[in-house]
CSV table of all heavy atoms in Angstrom, one decimal:
chain,number,residue,atom,x,y,z
A,1133,TRP,N,0.1,8.0,9.4
A,1133,TRP,CA,0.3,9.3,8.8
A,1133,TRP,C,1.8,9.5,8.9
A,1133,TRP,O,2.4,9.8,10.0
A,1133,TRP,CB,-0.5,10.4,9.5
A,1133,TRP,CG,-1.9,10.2,9.5
A,1133,TRP,CD1,-2.7,9.5,10.4
A,1133,TRP,CD2,-2.9,10.7,8.5
A,1133,TRP,NE1,-4.0,9.5,10.1
A,1133,TRP,CE2,-4.2,10.2,8.9
A,1133,TRP,CE3,-2.7,11.4,7.4
A,1133,TRP,CZ2,-5.3,10.6,8.2
A,1133,TRP,CZ3,-3.9,11.7,6.6
A,1133,TRP,CH2,-5.1,11.3,7.1
A,1134,THR,N,2.5,9.5,7.8
A,1134,THR,CA,4.0,9.5,7.8
A,1134,THR,C,4.6,10.9,7.7
A,1134,THR,O,5.7,11.1,8.0
A,1134,THR,CB,4.6,8.7,6.7
A,1134,THR,OG1,4.4,9.4,5.4
A,1134,THR,CG2,3.8,7.3,6.6
A,1135,GLY,N,3.8,11.9,7.3
A,1135,GLY,CA,4.3,13.2,6.9
A,1135,GLY,C,5.2,13.1,5.6
A,1135,GLY,O,5.1,12.0,4.9
A,1136,ALA,N,5.9,14.1,5.3
A,1136,ALA,CA,6.8,14.0,4.1
A,1136,ALA,C,8.0,13.1,4.4
A,1136,ALA,O,8.5,13.0,5.5
A,1136,ALA,CB,7.3,15.4,3.8
A,1137,ARG,N,8.4,12.4,3.3
A,1137,ARG,CA,9.5,11.5,3.4
A,1137,ARG,C,10.5,11.8,2.3
A,1137,ARG,O,10.2,12.2,1.2
A,1137,ARG,CB,9.0,10.1,3.1
A,1137,ARG,CG,8.0,9.6,4.1
A,1137,ARG,CD,8.6,9.1,5.4
A,1137,ARG,NE,9.6,8.0,5.3
A,1137,ARG,CZ,9.9,7.2,6.2
A,1137,ARG,NH1,9.3,7.2,7.4
A,1137,ARG,NH2,10.8,6.2,6.0
A,1138,GLN,N,11.8,11.6,2.6
A,1138,GLN,CA,12.9,11.8,1.6
A,1138,GLN,C,13.2,10.5,0.9
A,1138,GLN,O,13.8,10.6,-0.2
A,1138,GLN,CB,14.1,12.3,2.4
A,1138,GLN,CG,13.9,13.6,3.1
A,1138,GLN,CD,13.7,14.8,2.1
A,1138,GLN,OE1,14.2,14.8,1.0
A,1138,GLN,NE2,12.9,15.8,2.5
A,1139,ASP,N,12.8,9.4,1.4
A,1139,ASP,CA,13.2,8.1,0.9
A,1139,ASP,C,12.1,7.5,0.1
A,1139,ASP,O,11.7,6.3,0.3
A,1139,ASP,CB,13.7,7.1,2.0
A,1139,ASP,CG,12.6,7.0,3.1
A,1139,ASP,OD1,11.7,7.8,3.2
A,1139,ASP,OD2,12.7,6.0,3.9
A,1140,MET,N,11.5,8.2,-0.9
A,1140,MET,CA,10.3,7.7,-1.6
A,1140,MET,C,10.5,6.4,-2.3
A,1140,MET,O,9.5,5.6,-2.3
A,1140,MET,CB,9.8,8.8,-2.5
A,1140,MET,CG,9.2,10.0,-1.8
A,1140,MET,SD,7.9,9.5,-0.5
A,1140,MET,CE,6.8,8.6,-1.6
A,1141,PRO,N,11.6,6.1,-3.0
A,1141,PRO,CA,11.6,4.7,-3.6
A,1141,PRO,C,11.4,3.6,-2.6
A,1141,PRO,O,10.8,2.6,-2.8
A,1141,PRO,CB,13.1,4.7,-4.2
A,1141,PRO,CG,13.3,6.2,-4.5
A,1141,PRO,CD,12.7,6.9,-3.3
A,1142,ALA,N,12.0,3.8,-1.4
A,1142,ALA,CA,11.8,2.8,-0.3
A,1142,ALA,C,10.4,2.8,0.2
A,1142,ALA,O,9.8,1.7,0.5
A,1142,ALA,CB,12.8,3.1,0.9
A,1143,VAL,N,9.8,3.9,0.2
A,1143,VAL,CA,8.4,4.0,0.7
A,1143,VAL,C,7.4,3.3,-0.3
A,1143,VAL,O,6.6,2.5,0.1
A,1143,VAL,CB,8.0,5.5,0.9
A,1143,VAL,CG1,6.4,5.6,1.1
A,1143,VAL,CG2,8.7,6.1,2.1
A,1144,TYR,N,7.6,3.6,-1.6
A,1144,TYR,CA,6.8,3.0,-2.6
A,1144,TYR,C,7.0,1.5,-2.6
A,1144,TYR,O,6.1,0.7,-2.7
A,1144,TYR,CB,7.1,3.5,-4.0
A,1144,TYR,CG,6.7,4.9,-4.3
A,1144,TYR,CD1,7.5,5.9,-4.7
A,1144,TYR,CD2,5.3,5.2,-4.3
A,1144,TYR,CE1,7.1,7.1,-5.0
A,1144,TYR,CE2,4.9,6.5,-4.6
A,1144,TYR,CZ,5.8,7.4,-5.0
A,1144,TYR,OH,5.3,8.7,-5.3
A,1145,SER,N,8.3,1.0,-2.4
A,1145,SER,CA,8.6,-0.4,-2.3
A,1145,SER,C,7.9,-1.1,-1.1
A,1145,SER,O,7.6,-2.3,-1.2
A,1145,SER,CB,10.1,-0.6,-2.3
A,1145,SER,OG,10.7,-0.1,-3.4
A,1146,ALA,N,7.7,-0.3,0.0
A,1146,ALA,CA,7.1,-0.9,1.1
A,1146,ALA,C,5.6,-1.1,0.9
A,1146,ALA,O,5.0,-2.0,1.6
A,1146,ALA,CB,7.3,0.1,2.3
A,1147,PHE,N,5.0,-0.4,0.0
A,1147,PHE,CA,3.6,-0.7,-0.3
A,1147,PHE,C,3.4,-2.0,-1.0
A,1147,PHE,O,4.3,-2.5,-1.7
A,1147,PHE,CB,3.0,0.4,-1.2
A,1147,PHE,CG,3.0,1.8,-0.7
A,1147,PHE,CD1,3.0,2.9,-1.6
A,1147,PHE,CD2,3.2,2.1,0.6
A,1147,PHE,CE1,3.0,4.2,-1.1
A,1147,PHE,CE2,3.2,3.4,1.1
A,1147,PHE,CZ,3.1,4.5,0.2
A,1148,ASP,N,2.2,-2.6,-0.9
A,1148,ASP,CA,1.8,-3.7,-1.7
A,1148,ASP,C,1.0,-3.2,-2.9
A,1148,ASP,O,1.0,-3.7,-4.0
A,1148,ASP,CB,1.0,-4.7,-0.9
A,1148,ASP,CG,1.9,-5.4,0.2
A,1148,ASP,OD1,2.9,-5.9,-0.2
A,1148,ASP,OD2,1.6,-5.3,1.4
A,1149,LEU,N,0.2,-2.2,-2.6
A,1149,LEU,CA,-0.6,-1.5,-3.7
A,1149,LEU,C,-0.6,0.0,-3.4
A,1149,LEU,O,-0.4,0.4,-2.2
A,1149,LEU,CB,-2.1,-2.0,-3.6
A,1149,LEU,CG,-2.3,-3.5,-3.9
A,1149,LEU,CD1,-3.8,-3.8,-3.6
A,1149,LEU,CD2,-2.0,-3.8,-5.3
A,1150,ALA,N,-0.7,0.8,-4.4
A,1150,ALA,CA,-0.8,2.2,-4.3
A,1150,ALA,C,-2.2,2.7,-4.8
A,1150,ALA,O,-2.8,2.1,-5.7
A,1150,ALA,CB,0.3,2.9,-5.1
A,1151,ALA,N,-2.6,3.8,-4.2
A,1151,ALA,CA,-3.9,4.4,-4.6
A,1151,ALA,C,-3.8,5.9,-4.8
A,1151,ALA,O,-3.0,6.6,-4.2
A,1151,ALA,CB,-5.0,4.1,-3.5
A,1152,SER,N,-4.6,6.4,-5.7
A,1152,SER,CA,-4.8,7.8,-5.9
A,1152,SER,C,-6.3,8.1,-6.0
A,1152,SER,O,-7.0,7.6,-6.9
A,1152,SER,CB,-4.1,8.3,-7.2
A,1152,SER,OG,-4.4,9.6,-7.5
A,1153,THR,N,-6.8,8.9,-5.1
A,1153,THR,CA,-8.3,9.1,-5.1
A,1153,THR,C,-8.6,10.6,-5.4
A,1153,THR,O,-9.7,11.1,-5.1
A,1153,THR,CB,-8.8,8.8,-3.7
A,1153,THR,OG1,-8.1,9.5,-2.7
A,1153,THR,CG2,-8.7,7.3,-3.4
A,1154,SER,N,-7.7,11.3,-6.1
A,1154,SER,CA,-7.9,12.7,-6.4
A,1154,SER,C,-9.2,12.9,-7.3
A,1154,SER,O,-9.5,12.0,-8.0
A,1154,SER,CB,-6.7,13.2,-7.1
A,1154,SER,OG,-5.6,13.2,-6.3
A,1155,TYR,N,-9.8,14.1,-7.2
A,1155,TYR,CA,-10.8,14.4,-8.1
A,1155,TYR,C,-10.4,15.5,-9.1
A,1155,TYR,O,-11.2,15.9,-9.9
A,1155,TYR,CB,-12.1,14.9,-7.4
A,1155,TYR,CG,-11.9,16.1,-6.5
A,1155,TYR,CD1,-11.8,17.3,-6.9
A,1155,TYR,CD2,-12.0,15.9,-5.1
A,1155,TYR,CE1,-11.7,18.4,-6.1
A,1155,TYR,CE2,-11.8,17.0,-4.2
A,1155,TYR,CZ,-11.7,18.2,-4.7
A,1155,TYR,OH,-11.6,19.3,-3.9
A,1156,GLY,N,-9.1,15.8,-9.1
A,1156,GLY,CA,-8.6,16.8,-10.0
A,1156,GLY,C,-7.1,16.5,-10.2
A,1156,GLY,O,-6.3,16.6,-9.2
A,1157,GLU,N,-6.6,16.2,-11.4
A,1157,GLU,CA,-5.2,15.9,-11.7
A,1157,GLU,C,-4.9,16.3,-13.1
A,1157,GLU,O,-5.8,16.4,-13.9
A,1157,GLU,CB,-4.9,14.5,-11.5
A,1157,GLU,CG,-4.9,13.9,-10.0
A,1157,GLU,CD,-3.6,14.4,-9.3
A,1157,GLU,OE1,-2.8,15.1,-9.8
A,1157,GLU,OE2,-3.6,14.1,-8.1
A,1158,GLY,N,-3.6,16.5,-13.4
A,1158,GLY,CA,-3.1,16.6,-14.7
A,1158,GLY,C,-2.4,15.3,-15.0
A,1158,GLY,O,-2.9,14.3,-15.4
A,1159,PHE,N,-1.1,15.3,-14.6
A,1159,PHE,CA,-0.3,14.1,-14.7
A,1159,PHE,C,0.2,13.9,-13.3
A,1159,PHE,O,1.1,14.5,-12.8
A,1159,PHE,CB,0.9,14.4,-15.6
A,1159,PHE,CG,1.8,13.1,-15.8
A,1159,PHE,CD1,1.8,12.5,-17.1
A,1159,PHE,CD2,2.6,12.7,-14.8
A,1159,PHE,CE1,2.6,11.4,-17.3
A,1159,PHE,CE2,3.4,11.5,-15.0
A,1159,PHE,CZ,3.4,10.9,-16.2
A,1160,PRO,N,-0.4,12.9,-12.6
A,1160,PRO,CA,0.0,12.6,-11.2
A,1160,PRO,C,1.3,11.9,-11.1
A,1160,PRO,O,1.4,10.7,-11.4
A,1160,PRO,CB,-1.2,11.8,-10.7
A,1160,PRO,CG,-1.8,11.2,-11.8
A,1160,PRO,CD,-1.6,12.1,-13.0
A,1161,ASN,N,2.4,12.5,-10.7
A,1161,ASN,CA,3.7,11.9,-10.6
A,1161,ASN,C,3.7,10.7,-9.7
A,1161,ASN,O,4.4,9.7,-10.0
A,1161,ASN,CB,4.7,12.9,-10.1
A,1161,ASN,CG,5.1,13.9,-11.1
A,1161,ASN,OD1,5.0,13.8,-12.3
A,1161,ASN,ND2,5.7,15.0,-10.6
A,1162,VAL,N,2.9,10.8,-8.7
A,1162,VAL,CA,3.0,9.7,-7.7
A,1162,VAL,C,2.6,8.3,-8.2
A,1162,VAL,O,3.1,7.3,-7.8
A,1162,VAL,CB,2.1,10.0,-6.4
A,1162,VAL,CG1,2.7,11.2,-5.7
A,1162,VAL,CG2,0.7,10.2,-6.7
A,1163,ILE,N,1.6,8.4,-9.2
A,1163,ILE,CA,1.2,7.1,-9.8
A,1163,ILE,C,2.4,6.5,-10.6
A,1163,ILE,O,2.7,5.4,-10.5
A,1163,ILE,CB,0.0,7.3,-10.7
A,1163,ILE,CG1,-1.2,7.7,-9.9
A,1163,ILE,CG2,-0.3,6.1,-11.5
A,1163,ILE,CD1,-2.4,8.1,-10.7
A,1164,ALA,N,3.0,7.4,-11.5
A,1164,ALA,CA,4.1,6.9,-12.3
A,1164,ALA,C,5.3,6.5,-11.4
A,1164,ALA,O,6.0,5.5,-11.8
A,1164,ALA,CB,4.5,8.0,-13.3
A,1165,GLU,N,5.6,7.2,-10.4
A,1165,GLU,CA,6.7,6.8,-9.5
A,1165,GLU,C,6.4,5.5,-8.8
A,1165,GLU,O,7.4,4.6,-8.7
A,1165,GLU,CB,6.9,7.9,-8.4
A,1165,GLU,CG,7.5,9.2,-9.0
A,1165,GLU,CD,7.5,10.3,-8.0
A,1165,GLU,OE1,6.9,10.2,-6.8
A,1165,GLU,OE2,8.0,11.4,-8.3
A,1166,ALA,N,5.2,5.3,-8.4
A,1166,ALA,CA,4.9,4.0,-7.7
A,1166,ALA,C,5.0,2.9,-8.7
A,1166,ALA,O,5.6,1.8,-8.4
A,1166,ALA,CB,3.5,4.0,-7.2
A,1167,MET,N,4.6,3.1,-10.0
A,1167,MET,CA,4.7,2.1,-11.0
A,1167,MET,C,6.1,1.8,-11.3
A,1167,MET,O,6.5,0.6,-11.6
A,1167,MET,CB,3.9,2.5,-12.2
A,1167,MET,CG,2.4,2.5,-12.0
A,1167,MET,SD,1.5,3.1,-13.5
A,1167,MET,CE,1.9,1.9,-14.7
A,1168,ALA,N,7.0,2.8,-11.4
A,1168,ALA,CA,8.4,2.6,-11.6
A,1168,ALA,C,9.0,1.7,-10.6
A,1168,ALA,O,10.0,1.1,-10.8
A,1168,ALA,CB,9.1,4.0,-11.7
A,1169,CYS,N,8.5,1.8,-9.4
A,1169,CYS,CA,8.9,0.9,-8.3
A,1169,CYS,C,8.2,-0.4,-8.3
A,1169,CYS,O,8.3,-1.2,-7.3
A,1169,CYS,CB,8.7,1.6,-6.9
A,1169,CYS,SG,9.8,3.1,-6.7
A,1170,GLY,N,7.5,-0.7,-9.3
A,1170,GLY,CA,6.8,-2.0,-9.5
A,1170,GLY,C,5.5,-2.2,-8.8
A,1170,GLY,O,5.0,-3.3,-8.5
């Protein structure tokens, strides 16, 4: 559990995969940000 982070490009880059399990969204930025980081 990391809490809030200021270095999100590095955090996304540290992942191997990203997940979003929401049951309500409009445009989830976190998905697009993770994809922008490959």
Side-chain angles (χ1 to χ4, degrees):
W1133 298 91
T1134 75
R1137 299 280 301 206
Q1138 298 295 326
D1139 55 344
M1140 287 309 301
V1143 168
Y1144 288 122
S1145 298
F1147 299 160
D1148 295 303
L1149 298 170
S1152 173
T1153 54
S1154 297
Y1155 58 75
E1157 288 285 359
F1159 185 109
N1161 284 343
V1162 296
I1163 294 173
E1165 289 170 356
M1167 291 174 64
C1169 294

